[in-house]
Amino acid sequence: DAASPAAVRQAVGGGVSMGQGYDFQFPVDLGTGDGELQIQWNNGDDPTDVATRFCLTNRLPTGHVNEIVQFIQQASGQAPAQDSSGGTPIPTNIPAPSVQADMIAQITALGVDEARARDALDRAGWASVEAAVHLLF
């Protein structure tokens, strides 16, 4: 079980990794004793893509993606995604296609057509079926 990536320690400026320059580079200590990993990204990179790639490359549970996205947004001065009312931030982590299909099936079982179900899940940031249903009813 990997320690929380919240243990990321801030570094100054960007860096170079494998011959490529990055605008941002931070060490990540998972507390496993296996040394530090590095997360890097450039201005304009999608935080969800960066976080997902980091998890997959380092064989970390993708359940950490939202937390890593929040760190990337904070470190690079980006505002988190917000719901349409300007309220609380919504998750930017889109689940795997098989999970999406299951979520859509749960909503369509309530008598909602697939297009409306997908739209509600998109507006809810794919956070949960409950959040999407709340937007529908």
Side-chain angles (χ1 to χ4, degrees), residues 91 103 107 120-121 124-133:
M103 294 171 82
I107 296 173
L121 286 161
W126 293 87
S128 69
V129 168
E130 292 79 13
V133 169

Side-chain angles (χ1 to χ4, degrees), residues 109-130:
L110 299 172
V112 176
D113 67 66
E114 184 175 338
R116 283 189 61 216
R118 183 174 295 281
D119 178 62
L121 286 161
D122 282 339
R123 288 186 294 131
W126 293 87
S128 69
V129 168
E130 292 79 13

Side-chain angles (χ1 to χ4, degrees), residues 21-132:
Y22 292 96
D23 296 324
F24 301 93
Q25 180 169 317
F26 295 88
V28 179
D29 182 3
L30 298 175
T32 61
D34 295 332
E36 291 182 342
L37 303 173
Q38 294 285 322
I39 187 168
Q40 310 93 355
W41 70 94
N42 289 309
N43 284 319
D45 287 352
D46 180 83
T48 302
D49 291 345
V50 173
T52 301
R53 183 175 59 244
F54 178 78
C55 286
L56 294 174
T57 300
N58 293 290
R59 298 182 180 190
L60 299 172
T62 54
H64 290 302
V65 169
N66 280 339
E67 184 177 359
I68 296 169
V69 165
Q70 290 173 358
F71 169 78
I72 292 169
Q73 290 171 331
Q74 179 184 6
S76 57
Q78 299 175 26
Q82 302 233 326
D83 69 16
S84 59
S85 66
T88 58
I90 57 173
T92 55
N93 184 28
I94 306 299
S98 61
V99 175
Q100 289 182 24
D102 181 55
M103 294 171 82
I104 291 169
Q106 290 179 52
I107 296 173
T108 57
L110 299 172
V112 176
D113 67 66
E114 184 175 338
R116 283 189 61 216
R118 183 174 295 281
D119 178 62
L121 286 161
D122 282 339
R123 288 186 294 131
W126 293 87
S128 69
V129 168
E130 292 79 13

